[in-house]
């Protein structure tokens, strides 16, 4: 295996050296002045297409009034400078052809009208392709208002969720989710819980990528979803207040307040949000077991009510200590309390018409989750041409103290008890501590860019499950159920990335090395599994600009998906009396070789063709006991999977008021390997589509319509049914330009249902589930304080240019 890596590295190195002598950097630069010819700092500058005014890149002027756009493709463009209180300045059309362009000075003239906010003539599209990522811009979306982060993320191109709210990308599990580029270090269950408690109003955009560079963590066998949060950089004091109320099967509401104060080189910021959700989940499960020719069936109908209240807050300071150095210190916290109630009835017998017993189950949970994190970031600008040194220090802690009370009553069909009432209870404190340190260095060398960096992370997860049952009038430990499991993981990583441009071709190649040490210690079972291993993750991307309207890029990356802490715990978690989840301490990471080919047409339409080949695939396996009726699931490294996908993103403008974005994804998945004692060699094709439409009736009134569809498909041994949904929304902006009112409805036809069937080997089951998606929400937003961007007419630097892309 190491010979393969060495061959790849040597090949990339040879290719880079052969191109180095010919590489050229395509860039556009210029200066923005006032009418008195003084340089203007902190002015927003946009590189746009001249006909459609589509924004390609953005920048902000420095203290000398200068701006620069790098890595600009060939074609025709125009540059526009905009700022509050001034008329927009626009350049002549520019024709780029493999050579740097110096734009004539843009002169800002004082506007005769008072403007409350910058108005940019270009329109930022709802979905755009940027730096190899598909970006969903939701900052001002009507359908995003009042929703949770989980609701918003699944609208991004190629993103979906399964019945347990686990995120999937291009139909596959194993997605690395980051927030502002930082890893969350959560299990899939913890992440779903966190995203459901996070106010979607905090999100600016969602970035989706199936490729990666060496700078990025190798985690994420499919790709990465990065959540970009809103940032306020206006001068002076300002803030935003939001209040939202909604109703589905039950009530839900959220409110938030964000404050920001910026003066000269100091920025203070803080925010607080409260979310209340009450959601119903309807579930129906049919299982059939056959033992020695005798069949036993289980028909379960359950109603789960999730009641949640969450508080999230953040505060910090950003300080420019010198024209070249900026420090950021911030603290954030989330206090989340979930109190689900689950009531179910299970009919048991030889057939659905021959029932011999009925089980009534009740469970009441109290699950407080506290998450705290602190971050220190220091950015030092090495030079004036983009070189910088960035230090990141992160600390996070999770505290979960889940407690569940179970009540079981089993009756004969005549209503008499089969056995006395069974009472059980569990408590499971989970403590997770995370420490991360990262150092990144970027330097322009000749006409190329070199990126170097190192990272160290240390994670400790302590899970101590207690389980008791009520026997002879007192609570006693339930033998075989309690479990104490401690897992520690340390990862040391280093990377190198190099990129440059050669005529119409751009190339970026890198190598990342990650050394992992893990220790899974089941104290209860006296099972100790230690691992340490070194992995190399090469990556490369080659771009080619055929002409202004046709751009191609090809990417390769090796990625990894590590098992989460619960899956490694060699114990059994009981979901109910007959269903459990078993851990596997010998579960290994799965490795994926990912290939993508991206084609951009007219800087608007994006087509991505991809293939992922995964070895040692972590696959969900099943087991059951025909005597007791118990069934369980676990995960094993069972085989090899191939996934191919074609994603097409097509924006369309119809008339003056209607804009549409259509995202279509065709996916073929094939698995080969043993599952529950039988060999599987099968594949399935399925289709995902979403159309998002915006209707701008006037400056004050707009509407949105979103329709999505997922076709039926086979996932390993699970047959997933088709589903579709429709969302609508209306937005009204008041004349004061500070207030807005949004009314939105989600899943208005109640069609987002999860239907899953398994008929494989001795397993025969059917699941029908609806997660109370149909809701209506009313959201009011008010912005206060100074909303005008202040221009500086001196030579002090500004934080604004940190937004440059």
């Amino acid at each position: 295996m190491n010979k393969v890596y060495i061959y790849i590295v040597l090949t990339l190195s040879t290719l880079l050296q052969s191109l180095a002598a010919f590489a050229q950097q395509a860039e556009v630069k210029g200066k923005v002045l006032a009418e008195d010819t003084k340089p203007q700092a902190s002015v927003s500058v946009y590189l746009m297409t001249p006909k459609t005014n589509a924004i390609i890149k953005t920048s902000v002027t420095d203290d000398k009034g200068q701006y620069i756009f790098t890595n600009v493709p060939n074609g025709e463009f125009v540059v526009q400078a905009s700022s509050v209180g001034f008329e927009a300045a626009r350049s002549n059309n520019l024709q780029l052809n493999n050579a740097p362009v110096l734009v004539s000075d843009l002169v800002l003239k004082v506007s005769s009208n008072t403007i409350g906010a910058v108005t940019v003539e270009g329109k930022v599209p709802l979905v755009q392709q940027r730096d190899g990522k598909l970006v969903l811009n939701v900052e001002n979306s009507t359908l995003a208002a009042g929703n949770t982060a989980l609701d918003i993320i699944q609208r991004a191109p190629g993103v979906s969720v399964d019945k347990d709210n686990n995120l999937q990308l291009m139909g596959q599990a194993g997605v690395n989710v980051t927030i502002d580029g930082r890893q969350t270090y959560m299990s899939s269950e913890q992440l779903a819980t966190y995203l459901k408690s996070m106010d979607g109003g905090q999100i600016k955009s969602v970035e989706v990528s199936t490729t990666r560079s060496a700078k990025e963590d190798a985690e994420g066998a499919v790709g990465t979803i990065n959540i970009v949060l809103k940032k306020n950089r206006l001068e002076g004091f300002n803030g935003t207040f939001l209040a939202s109320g909604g109703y589905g099967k039950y009530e839900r509401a959220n409110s938030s307040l964000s404050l920001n104060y910026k003066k000269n080189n100091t920025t203070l910021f803080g925010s607080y949000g409260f979310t209340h959700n009450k959601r119903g989940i309807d579930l129906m499960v049919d299982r059939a077991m056959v033992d020695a020719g005798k069949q036993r069936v289980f028909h379960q109908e359950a109603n789960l009510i999730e009641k949640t209240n969450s508080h999230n807050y953040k505060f910090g300071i950003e300080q420019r200590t010198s024209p070249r150095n900026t420090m950021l210190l911030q603290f954030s916290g989330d206090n989340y309390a979930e109190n689900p109630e689950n009531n179910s009835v299970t009919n048991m017998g030889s057939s659905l018409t021959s029932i011999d017993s009925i089980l009534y189950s009740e469970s009441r949970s109290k699950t407080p989750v506290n998450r705290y994190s602190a971050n220190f970031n220091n950015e030092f600008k090495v030079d004036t041409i983009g070189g910088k040194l960035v230090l990141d220090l992160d600390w996070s802690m999770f505290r979960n103290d889940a407690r569940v009370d179970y009540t079981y009553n089993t009756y004969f069909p005549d209503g008499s008890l089969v056995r006395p009432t069974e009472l059980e209870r569990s408590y499971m404190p989970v403590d997770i501590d995370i420490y991360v340190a990262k150092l990144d260095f970027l330097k322009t060398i000749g006409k190329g860019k070199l990126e170097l960096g190192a990272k160290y992370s240390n994670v400790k997860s302590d899970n101590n499950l207690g389980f008791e049952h009520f026997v002879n009038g007192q609570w006693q430990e339930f033998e075989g159920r309690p479990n104490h499991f401690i897992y520690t993981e340390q990862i040391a990583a280093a990377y190198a990335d190099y990129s440059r441009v050669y005529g119409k071709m751009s190339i970026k190649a890198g190598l990342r090395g990650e050394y992992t040490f893990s220790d899974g210690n089941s104290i209860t079972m006296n099972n100790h599994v230690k691992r340490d291993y070194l992995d190399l993750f090469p990556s490369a991307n080659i771009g080619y600009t055929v002409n202004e309207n046709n751009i191609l890029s090809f990417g390769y990356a090796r990625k990894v998906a590590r098992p989460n802490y619960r899956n490694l715990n060699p114990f059994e978690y009981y979901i109910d009396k007959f269903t459990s989840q078993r851990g596997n301490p010998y579960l290994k990471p799965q490795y994926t070789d990912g290939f993508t080919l991206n084609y951009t047409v007219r800087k608007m339409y994006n087509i991505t063709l991809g293939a992922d080949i995964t070895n040692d695939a972590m696959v969900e396996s099943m087991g059951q006991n025909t005597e007791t009726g118990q069934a369980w699931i676990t995960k094993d490294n069972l085989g090899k999977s191939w996934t191919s996908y074609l994603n097409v993103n097509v924006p369309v403008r119809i008339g003056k008021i209607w804009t549409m974005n259509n995202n279509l994804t065709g996916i073929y998945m094939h698995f080969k390997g043993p599952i529950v004692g039988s060999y599987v060699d099968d594949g399935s094709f399925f289709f995902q589509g979403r159309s998002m439409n915006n209707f701008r009736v006037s400056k004050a009134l707009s509407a949105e319509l979103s329709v999505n569809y997922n076709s039926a498909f086979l996932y390993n041994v699970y047959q997933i049914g088709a589903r579709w949904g429709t969302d609508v929304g209306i937005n009204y902006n008041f004349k004061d330009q500070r207030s807005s009112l949004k009314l939105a409805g989600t899943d208005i036809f109640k069609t987002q249902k999860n239907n899953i069937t398994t008929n494989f080997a001795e397993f025969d089951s059917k699941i029908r589930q609806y997660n109370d998606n149909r809701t209506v929400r009313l959201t009011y937003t008010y912005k206060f304080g100074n909303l005008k961007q202040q221009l500086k007419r001196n030579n002090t630097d500004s934080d604004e240019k940190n937004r440059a892309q």
Side-chain angles (χ1 to χ4, degrees):
M1 189 183 301
N2 290 334
K3 292 182 179 180
V4 175
Y5 295 142
I6 294 172
Y7 175 76
I8 293 173
V9 173
L10 290 176
T11 302
L12 293 175
S13 176
T14 303
L15 181 58
L16 287 171
Q17 292 174 9
S18 64
L19 294 175
F22 306 101
Q24 298 181 15
Q25 181 71 45
E27 63 183 24
V28 175
K29 60 183 178 180
K31 185 182 294 186
V32 179
L33 307 175
E35 290 181 279
D36 58 5
T37 71
K38 290 184 178 179
Q40 296 297 292
S42 305
V43 176
S44 299
V45 187
Y46 304 87
L47 182 71
M48 305 188 299
T49 57
K51 294 182 180 179
T52 62
N53 285 342
I55 297 175
I56 305 302
K57 288 178 175 289
T58 66
S59 184
V60 179
T61 57
D62 61 16
D63 58 326
K64 297 179 181 179
Q66 297 175 342
Y67 62 88
I68 185 171
F69 300 104
T70 60
N71 297 322
V72 179
N74 292 334
E76 189 175 19
F77 301 95
V78 65
V79 176
Q80 177 178 305
S82 301
S83 189
V84 173
F86 294 83
E87 296 180 0
R90 193 177 177 98
S91 72
N92 295 325
N93 289 2
L94 311 172
Q95 186 66 45
L96 268 68
N97 188 21
N98 301 330
V101 171
L102 179 63
V103 183
S104 300
D105 293 344
L106 300 177
V107 179
L108 294 176
K109 297 181 180 180
V110 177
S111 174
S112 58
N113 299 321
T114 300
I115 304 174
V118 176
T119 299
V120 182
E121 292 182 10
K123 305 296 183 184
V124 178
L126 181 64
V127 176
Q128 62 184 149
Q129 200 274 349
R130 188 170 67 230
D131 299 327
K133 303 179 179 71
L134 281 175
V135 182
L136 174 68
N137 298 300
V138 297
E139 187 169 10
N140 299 309
S141 172
T142 301
L143 296 179
N147 262 323
T148 68
L150 185 64
D151 295 323
I152 293 172
I153 292 171
Q154 56 188 291
R155 300 179 189 274
V159 178
S160 58
V161 296
D162 65 13
K163 66 179 179 64
D164 299 316
N165 288 323
N166 298 315
L167 288 169
Q168 297 177 328
L169 182 57
M170 303 303 173
Q172 306 173 74
V175 185
N176 183 30
V177 178
T178 61
I179 300 176
D180 284 335
R182 295 184 174 89
Q183 278 212 67
T184 54
Y185 294 98
M186 301 182 198
S187 68
S188 56
E189 296 90 349
Q190 292 169 335
L191 181 63
T193 299
Y194 174 69
L195 293 177
K196 285 191 292 184
S197 70
M198 182 179 178
D199 178 16
Q202 304 177 38
I203 298 177
K204 176 183 178 182
S205 61
V206 180
E207 301 175 341
V208 177
S209 175
T210 55
T211 61
R212 49 165 292 277
S213 66
K215 180 180 179 179
E216 300 166 311
D217 291 289
E219 180 68 33
V222 183
T224 300
I225 299 173
N226 182 41
I227 304 170
V228 181
L229 302 180
K230 295 178 181 178
K231 295 179 178 62
N232 191 332
R233 299 296 189 183
L234 295 175
E235 192 80 13
F237 173 77
N238 52 79
T240 301
F241 170 75
L242 180 147
S244 179
Y247 199 86
K249 190 175 182 179
Y250 303 100
E251 78 283 351
R252 56 199 68 182
N254 65 282
S255 61
S256 64
L257 175 67
S258 63
L259 302 173
N260 191 83
Y261 177 75
K262 181 179 183 297
K263 185 173 180 61
N264 297 327
N265 295 320
T266 303
T267 301
L268 299 172
F269 58 90
S271 64
Y272 167 78
F274 171 76
T275 301
H276 167 77
N277 263 331
K278 187 175 181 181
R279 181 188 299 263
I281 299 176
D282 297 321
L283 177 68
M284 187 274 288
V285 180
D286 282 327
R287 289 192 294 124
M289 293 183 176
V290 178
D291 182 29
K294 295 181 179 181
Q295 177 178 262
R296 186 160 182 80
V297 300
F298 300 81
H299 174 78
Q300 180 184 29
E301 294 186 9
N303 176 253
L304 173 65
I305 301 175
E306 290 183 346
K307 295 183 291 185
T308 61
N309 292 298
S310 66
H311 305 264
N312 59 81
Y313 40 88
K314 179 174 65 175
F315 56 87
I317 180 173
E318 183 177 272
Q319 180 68 48
R320 184 176 293 277
T321 58
S322 74
R324 299 172 63 183
N325 195 79
T326 303
M327 293 192 305
L328 171 69
L329 179 63
Q330 63 180 352
F331 176 86
S332 63
D334 299 279
N335 304 119
Y336 178 83
E338 183 178 52
N339 300 308
E341 300 177 0
N342 190 1
N343 300 297
S344 68
V345 178
T346 305
N347 294 323
M348 299 172 286
S350 59
S351 69
L352 292 177
T353 58
S354 180
I355 302 301
D356 56 43
S357 58
I358 305 170
L359 172 66
Y360 289 84
S361 304
E362 295 181 10
S363 67
R364 301 290 183 267
S365 304
K366 291 184 178 181
T367 310
V369 179
N370 299 307
R371 175 182 180 269
Y372 305 102
S373 65
N375 168 254
F376 173 78
N377 176 277
N378 190 90
E379 180 178 310
F380 177 72
K381 297 181 179 178
V382 178
D383 50 44
T384 59
I385 55 175
K388 59 183 179 181
L389 182 67
V390 182
L391 173 66
D392 250 313
L393 301 175
D394 285 284
W395 165 80
S396 301
M397 63 175 284
F398 299 85
R399 297 294 183 263
N400 183 349
D401 190 16
R403 297 175 180 269
V404 186
D405 293 313
Y406 305 91
T407 303
Y408 301 115
N409 285 294
T410 306
Y411 295 90
F412 289 111
D414 62 7
S416 60
L417 278 170
V418 174
R419 62 183 67 90
T421 299
E422 300 170 273
L423 300 178
E424 300 173 354
R425 67 185 184 186
S426 68
Y427 50 92
M428 185 176 178
V430 178
D431 296 344
I432 302 176
D433 294 282
I434 302 167
Y435 302 89
V436 181
K438 185 170 65 169
L439 186 66
D440 298 299
F441 175 72
L442 171 64
K443 177 70 174 176
T444 298
I445 299 178
K447 295 179 179 179
K449 288 186 178 180
L450 177 66
E451 294 179 85
L452 301 172
K455 178 181 178 180
Y456 171 77
S457 64
N458 189 317
V459 181
K460 180 181 179 181
S461 175
D462 190 335
N463 305 259
N464 193 0
L465 170 67
F467 211 107
E468 298 177 325
H469 57 169
F470 198 71
V471 181
N472 298 326
Q474 62 181 359
W475 288 102
Q476 299 179 8
E477 183 178 283
F478 200 130
E479 185 178 355
R481 295 283 184 92
N483 175 47
H484 191 187
F485 180 70
I486 298 176
Y487 180 80
T488 57
E489 180 182 85
Q490 300 176 63
I491 300 177
Y495 75 88
D497 258 326
Y498 185 75
S499 62
R500 63 188 302 167
V501 177
Y502 164 58
K504 294 185 176 183
M505 180 180 293
S506 64
I507 185 168
K508 184 172 186 177
L511 181 66
R512 183 181 185 91
E514 293 188 354
Y515 177 78
T516 304
F517 171 80
S518 65
D519 183 0
N521 182 12
S522 176
I523 297 173
T524 303
M525 301 182 68
N526 194 25
N527 185 295
H528 210 75
V529 179
K530 289 186 177 181
R531 288 198 183 100
D532 64 286
Y533 49 92
L534 173 66
D535 286 320
L536 297 178
F537 299 95
S539 61
N541 189 278
I542 299 174
Y544 184 75
T545 302
V546 180
N547 53 45
E548 176 186 359
N549 295 320
N550 298 274
I551 301 173
L552 290 165
S553 66
F554 174 77
Y556 162 78
R558 187 170 189 260
K559 298 166 283 188
V560 64
R562 298 180 177 90
N564 65 47
Y565 318 137
R566 171 172 286 193
N567 288 334
L568 291 169
N569 189 350
F571 214 75
E572 197 162 7
Y573 300 90
Y574 280 84
I575 301 169
D576 57 38
K577 189 175 180 65
F578 292 108
T579 312
S580 63
Q581 179 179 336
R582 293 182 177 180
N584 178 5
Y586 303 103
L587 189 63
K588 300 181 296 183
Q590 66 177 32
Y591 296 90
T592 300
D593 291 292
F595 303 85
T596 59
L597 176 65
N598 189 81
Y599 177 35
T600 303
V601 184
R602 296 184 179 276
K603 305 181 182 71
M604 296 174 59
Y605 312 108
N606 293 281
I607 303 172
T608 302
L609 179 65
D612 290 321
I613 303 172
T614 301
N615 294 293
D616 292 328
M618 292 187 293
V619 177
E620 189 173 277
S621 185
M622 300 173 290
Q624 62 185 20
N625 187 321
T626 53
E627 293 183 3
T628 63
Q630 291 180 320
W632 60 86
I633 58 174
T634 187
K635 281 195 173 183
D636 288 293
N637 299 102
L638 292 178
K640 189 172 185 178
S641 67
W642 296 265
T643 302
S644 303
Y645 57 88
L646 176 65
N647 190 87
V648 181
N649 189 263
V650 182
V652 179
R653 177 178 290 275
I654 303 174
K656 294 183 178 180
I657 68 170
W658 185 3
T659 57
M660 176 191 302
N661 185 277
N662 303 301
N663 196 87
L664 313 173
T665 309
I667 305 167
Y668 178 78
M669 303 180 67
H670 193 103
F671 177 79
K672 187 176 182 179
I675 297 182
V676 293
S678 299
Y679 196 80
V680 177
D681 187 356
D682 202 359
S684 174
F685 173 83
F686 60 102
F687 168 81
Q688 297 176 339
R690 181 181 291 273
S691 178
M692 291 183 285
N693 302 262
N694 183 275
F695 306 88
R696 183 160 295 279
V697 182
S698 66
K699 290 184 178 180
L701 183 64
S702 62
E704 292 185 31
L705 169 68
S706 175
V707 180
N708 68 86
Y709 175 78
N710 293 271
S711 69
F713 69 101
L714 178 67
Y715 181 74
N716 294 336
V717 297
Y718 302 100
Q719 182 67 47
I720 314 295
R723 62 180 182 177
W724 64 281
T726 304
D727 307 333
V728 296
I730 300 174
N731 178 75
Y732 181 78
N733 295 317
F734 293 94
K735 291 182 179 180
D736 61 6
Q737 298 186 16
R738 293 175 178 268
S739 309
S740 67
L741 195 63
K742 298 178 174 66
L743 178 66
T746 304
D747 192 22
I748 60 176
F749 298 112
K750 199 177 180 180
T751 51
Q752 289 280 24
K753 299 180 179 181
N754 297 302
N755 298 324
I756 303 173
T757 302
T758 304
N759 192 355
F760 178 79
E762 70 268 27
F763 294 89
D764 185 2
S765 64
K766 180 171 64 175
I767 299 174
R768 299 292 182 264
Q769 178 178 317
Y770 183 71
N771 288 347
D772 192 14
N773 296 313
R774 184 164 64 177
T775 60
V776 61
R777 303 179 310 281
L778 183 65
T779 303
Y780 174 75
T781 304
Y782 179 73
K783 298 179 180 180
F784 55 89
N786 176 47
L787 302 183
K788 298 181 180 180
Q789 184 179 13
Q790 303 294 315
L791 291 182
K792 295 185 179 296
R793 298 176 181 271
N794 50 44
N795 288 330
T796 60
D797 209 342
S798 170
D799 291 335
E800 294 292 331
K801 63 183 178 182
N802 290 328
R803 294 184 298 158
Q805 298 178 14

